[in-house]
């Protein structure tokens, strides 16, 4: 019996404009009548004729409303002519796993249900984003198309009578409008774990973790913060690498993340930091809600900034089998990320790209064979094995480096700084600020720094002086497709390589988040206390931006 499509009348919701990683709003917004349906229909319509008979991947981070949204999407895909869906069991798939599946199955794309590092639960956040056929987040042209469609939508299509059960692994074939429609519910973990085994030497890592090669087991504390990575962590670190149960915590994905804030930084992963600081651990790591971000800390909670993590991995890439086999192309970082990797690229003779915030900007470079490693200061690191940042991949990379060098994390960093110098780095987040004053602050600061007289100005604080070399609102021209992204953040670059960057984030669900980034380079004084070394440039940044005046804030919500 063929199931029939229903066409349901709807009306426009304002503000369905995807940000750097999809649409993020409160759960109460997404659960309004037809709100999710509108946005999903616009995603499907934006694919045009390519949608008919296509394969799509569907899954998310398990947060509140994830399973219900997945079931709704299945019924809408059936009505819109999709040929096959690969759906994570119970709607669960990490964002890196979605990217891997899209590429492995040569799918048209994937619908990812996540608000990433934003808090979960009925009172908090939900999100939907579309990843395209290379496995990466949809580019600006595609998300702009989604938004345009959302401003004029009048109806959506759904097969309300389609039976859906995503709790059991298996394949079901339906007939919809006299065409076959296949739903394959897959093991959420298997494909991704097999992919990691192709990249890293698991036998060598198992010997290292177990202590077979060093004489003592590696002491790890891997914290999934009750996000999607729990199942992946248990399979990889416990079953594949032989770590003990005591090495992993918070590995059950929960709709509200068990009350934890699924953002792996020094503020929100405080339990991990305290445990490693007070214990005898060799490495600590945490991941965000959907598994694409990571934080690395060493013995006694020695903190590795994401900028340094990227640079160290770049320096040691050749110890990872995947790069031995596929070679090393260029490196890239988002513009706000400290420029430590630039120094590695220069030494190794590799191209280094500076791109706007948003992982989609790395995809073209990877597809063109010009980029193999990239990262963002917001705890995202990844390579060209997929087109997303990948938290577990980053930890496996660090374990490979530790095994290769025979050194601990702190010694690896200190050795790196002795060679390259140190980019002291911090990010101040001022969350849920009033939008209008923030916009005024950005406009005022842009006018100040883009005045021709600003270049060459000297600023002093705390015995340090910085002379302006470049100041602009960062714009990026993609070297592959020549597309242009403008107004990507206010940037002041000083003659010694130090930098101040300020931007408004596009990943919050309400208000405005002001992000202030400080990158202070020191060639020789590499063992100072970061907060002390950064204070002069922070004070200068607050003076130039007039941030306390415009936001009414005397301190940031989060410091990373």
């Amino acid at each position: 019996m063929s199931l029939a499509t229903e066409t349901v009348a709807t009306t426009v919701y304002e503000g369905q404009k995807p940000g750097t990683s999809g649409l993020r709003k409160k759960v109460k917004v997404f659960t309004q009548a037809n709100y999710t349906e509108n946005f999903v229909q616009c995603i499907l319509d934006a694919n045009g004729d390519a949608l008919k008979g296509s394969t799509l991947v569907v899954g998310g981070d398990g947060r509140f409303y994830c399973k219900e949204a997945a079931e709704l999407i299945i019924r809408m895909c059936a009505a819109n002519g999709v040929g096959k869906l690969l759906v994570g069991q119970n709607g669960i798939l990490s964002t890196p796993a979605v990217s891997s599946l899209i590429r492995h199955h040569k799918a048209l794309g994937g619908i990812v249900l996540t608000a990433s590092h934003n808090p979960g639960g009925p009172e908090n956040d939900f999100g939907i984003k579309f990843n395209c056929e290379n496995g990466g987040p949809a580019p600006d042209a595609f998300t702009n198309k989604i938004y345009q469609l959302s401003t004029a939508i009048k109806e959506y299509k759904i097969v309300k009578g389609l039976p859906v059960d995503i709790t059991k692994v298996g394949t079901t074939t339906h007939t919809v409008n006299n065409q076959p429609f296949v739903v394959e519910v897959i093991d959420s973990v298997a494909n991704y774990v097999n992919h990691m085994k192709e990249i890293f030497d698991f036998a060598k890592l198992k010997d290292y973790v177990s202590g077979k090669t060093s004489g003592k087991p590696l002491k790890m504390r891997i914290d999934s913060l009750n996000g999607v990575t729990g199942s992946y962590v248990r399979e990889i670190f416990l079953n594949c690498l032989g770590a003990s149960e005591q090495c992993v915590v918070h590995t059950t994905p929960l709709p509200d993340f068990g009350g934890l804030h699924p953002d792996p930084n020094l503020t929100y992963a405080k339990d991990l930091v305290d445990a490693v600081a007070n214990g005898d651990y060799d490495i600590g790591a945490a991941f965000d809600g959907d598994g694409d971000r990571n934080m690395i800390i060493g013995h006694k909670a020695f903190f590795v900034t994401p900028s340094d993590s990227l640079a160290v991995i770049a320096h040691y890439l050749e110890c990872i089998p995947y790069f031995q086999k596929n070679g090393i192309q260029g490196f890239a970082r988002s513009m706000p990320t400290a420029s430590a990797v630039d120094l590695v690229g220069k030494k190794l003779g590799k191209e280094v790209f500076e791109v706007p915030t948003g992982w989609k900007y790395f995809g073209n470079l990877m597809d063109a064979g010009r980029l193999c490693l990239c990262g963002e200061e917001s705890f995202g690191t990844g390579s060209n094995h997929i087109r997303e940042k990948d938290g577990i991949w980053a930890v496996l990379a660090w374990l490979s480096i530790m095994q290769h060098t025979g050194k601990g994390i702190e010694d690896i960093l200190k050795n790196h700084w002795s060679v390259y110098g140190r980019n002291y780095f911090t990010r101040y987040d001022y969350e849920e600020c009033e939008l209008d004053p923030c916009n005024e602050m950005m406009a005022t600061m842009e006018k100040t720094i883009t005045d021709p007289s600003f270049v060459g100005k000297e600023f002093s604080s705390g015995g340090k002086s910085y002379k302006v070399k470049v100041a602009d609102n960062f714009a990026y021209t993609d070297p592959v497709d020549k597309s242009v992204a403008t107004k990507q953040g206010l940037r002041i670059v000083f003659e010694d390589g130090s930098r101040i960057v300020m931007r408004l984030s596009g990943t919050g669900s309400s208000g405005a988040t002001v992000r202030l980034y400080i990158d202070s380079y020191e060639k020789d004084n590499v063992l100072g206390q970061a907060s002390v070394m950064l204070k002069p440039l922070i004070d200068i940044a607050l003076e130039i931006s007039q941030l306390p005046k415009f936001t009414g804030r005397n301190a940031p919500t989060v410091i990373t």
Side-chain angles (χ1 to χ4, degrees):
M1 175 184 152
S2 181
L3 296 163
T5 293
E6 293 183 47
T7 300
V8 181
T10 189
T11 53
V12 168
Y13 278 100
E14 291 184 7
Q16 289 196 330
K17 185 174 178 58
T20 51
S21 286
L23 184 69
R24 295 180 189 172
K25 303 285 183 183
K26 297 295 184 188
V27 168
K28 288 179 178 177
V29 175
F30 271 101
T31 52
Q32 294 174 98
N34 295 347
Y35 189 91
T36 299
E37 288 88 337
N38 278 20
F39 190 66
V40 171
Q41 186 65 55
C42 294
I43 289 174
L44 298 175
D45 287 345
N47 280 283
D49 293 340
L51 192 70
K52 301 299 179 187
S54 66
T55 297
L56 292 178
V57 178
V58 179
D61 59 19
R63 67 178 57 233
F64 191 88
Y65 189 55
C66 182
K67 186 167 179 284
E68 295 85 348
E71 292 169 349
L72 173 65
I73 288 166
I74 293 169
R75 292 188 170 100
M76 291 186 67
C77 285
N80 282 274
V82 174
K84 182 176 181 178
L85 291 180
L86 296 163
V87 185
Q89 187 178 14
N90 295 310
I92 298 282
L93 283 173
S94 75
T95 294
V98 170
S99 185
S100 179
L101 282 162
I102 292 169
R103 295 174 65 78
H104 183 79
H105 290 275
K106 295 181 170 55
L108 177 65
I111 300 177
V112 195
L113 308 173
T114 178
S116 187
H117 54 297
N118 294 10
E123 301 302 318
N124 286 310
D125 298 344
F126 187 73
I128 303 177
K129 73 170 182 172
F130 185 76
N131 281 25
C132 49
E133 60 189 349
N134 75 347
D140 289 342
F142 192 95
T143 55
N144 289 340
K145 192 173 181 182
I146 293 173
Y147 177 59
Q148 288 165 5
L149 289 166
S150 78
T151 63
I153 188 169
K154 291 185 171 61
E155 60 189 33
Y156 65 86
K157 297 174 185 174
I158 189 167
V159 181
K160 289 184 178 176
L162 184 79
V164 173
D165 181 4
I166 58 175
T167 64
K168 300 187 184 89
V169 171
T171 302
T172 309
T173 302
H174 308 275
T175 302
V176 178
N177 300 327
N178 298 313
Q179 295 294 321
F181 174 65
V182 179
V183 179
E184 184 178 348
V185 179
I186 60 172
D187 181 300
S188 303
V189 173
N191 175 271
Y192 178 82
V193 173
N194 288 335
H195 199 169
M196 292 301 103
K197 288 179 178 178
E198 294 171 2
I199 295 170
F200 299 99
D201 188 335
F202 269 44
K204 196 179 279 186
L205 290 179
K206 185 173 184 178
D207 287 347
Y208 178 63
V209 168
S210 69
K212 185 176 177 181
T213 51
S214 64
K216 61 172 187 171
L218 192 72
K219 289 195 171 180
M220 302 188 290
R221 187 173 179 90
I222 311 295
D223 192 338
S224 291
L225 297 177
N226 294 323
V228 77
T229 60
S231 303
Y232 300 84
V233 162
R234 298 189 70 83
E235 179 61 26
I236 290 173
F237 293 95
L238 301 189
N239 298 342
C240 297
L241 300 184
S244 67
E245 184 75 36
Q246 291 71 35
C247 290
V248 301
V249 292
H250 300 131
T251 57
T252 302
L254 297 173
D256 64 349
F257 305 116
L260 299 178
H261 193 311
D263 194 354
N265 59 45
L266 294 171
T267 300
Y268 294 130
K270 190 173 184 299
D271 284 354
L272 171 71
V273 175
D274 289 346
V276 175
N278 297 320
D280 187 29
Y281 293 97
D282 300 300
I283 182 172
F287 312 103
D288 69 339
D290 66 325
D292 59 359
R293 297 171 190 240
N294 73 93
M295 179 175 74
I296 305 288
I297 53 177
H299 185 64
K300 298 301 176 187
F302 181 87
F303 176 59
V304 182
T305 70
S307 309
D308 277 337
S309 181
L310 176 64
V312 168
I313 294 172
H315 180 82
Y316 287 107
L317 269 187
E318 284 186 336
C319 78
I320 298 171
Y322 174 88
F323 298 99
Q324 294 169 5
K325 178 182 176 184
N326 296 298
I328 297 172
Q329 296 81 45
F331 308 137
R333 59 173 174 82
S334 66
M335 183 273 286
T337 302
S339 51
V341 75
D342 300 37
L343 301 171
V344 180
K346 184 177 180 181
K347 185 178 178 67
L348 299 182
K350 303 296 180 185
E351 282 189 296
V352 179
F353 300 93
E354 182 179 36
V355 308
T357 296
W359 210 258
K360 56 193 171 187
Y361 294 104
F362 296 125
N364 270 1
L365 295 165
M366 289 182 175
D367 292 343
R370 295 177 67 177
L371 175 61
C372 72
L373 177 73
C374 52
E376 294 181 334
E377 51 67 40
S378 54
F379 295 83
T381 323
S383 88
N384 59 352
H385 68 290
I386 55 173
R387 297 295 182 268
E388 285 279 7
K389 44 189 176 272
D390 190 344
I392 290 175
W393 175 92
V395 175
L396 291 171
W398 267 96
L399 290 179
S400 300
I401 293 165
M402 293 167 72
Q403 183 275 324
H404 174 75
T405 61
K407 295 184 187 327
I409 286 173
E410 184 172 352
D411 286 341
I412 290 169
L413 258 297
K414 287 179 175 177
N415 181 67
H416 185 88
W417 296 332
S418 73
V419 174
Y420 293 103
R422 181 176 178 183
N423 289 79
Y424 290 92
F425 182 80
T426 190
R427 185 180 93 190
Y428 278 19
D429 286 4
Y430 299 80
E431 296 177 346
E432 297 189 349
C433 298
E434 287 186 41
L435 184 57
D436 288 345
C438 289
N439 285 331
E440 186 183 353
M441 174 182 68
M442 297 296 285
T444 302
M445 183 174 170
E446 180 173 3
K447 186 177 179 182
T448 298
I449 70 170
T450 56
D451 188 294
S453 66
F454 191 75
V455 172
K457 272 196 172 182
E458 198 162 312
F459 293 88
S460 298
S461 178
K464 293 278 292 180
S465 291
Y466 302 87
K467 191 173 183 180
V468 177
K469 181 181 179 182
V470 176
D472 59 13
N473 194 333
F474 181 64
Y476 174 71
T477 301
D478 190 298
V480 179
D481 66 13
K482 307 305 178 188
S483 61
V484 177
T486 59
K487 298 188 178 299
Q488 295 297 311
L490 304 181
R491 177 180 68 158
I492 303 170
V493 183
F494 298 97
E495 288 188 348
D496 68 347
S498 298
R499 303 182 313 141
I500 294 169
V501 174
M502 183 175 281
R503 56 186 289 272
L504 296 184
S505 171
T507 59
S509 64
S510 61
T513 295
V514 181
R515 300 202 198 281
L516 174 64
Y517 311 81
I518 305 295
D519 175 7
S520 182
Y521 178 73
E522 293 282 346
K523 180 70 184 83
D524 301 310
N525 190 0
V526 298
L527 300 180
Q529 186 178 337
S531 58
V532 174
M533 300 300 292
L534 286 160
K535 189 174 188 308
L537 203 51
I538 291 169
D539 289 344
I540 290 167
L542 294 175
E543 174 195 334
I544 294 171
S545 66
Q546 303 178 72
L547 188 147
K549 170 189 157 186
F550 282 104
T551 65
R553 305 285 182 90
N554 292 317
T557 316
V558 180
I559 299 176
T560 49

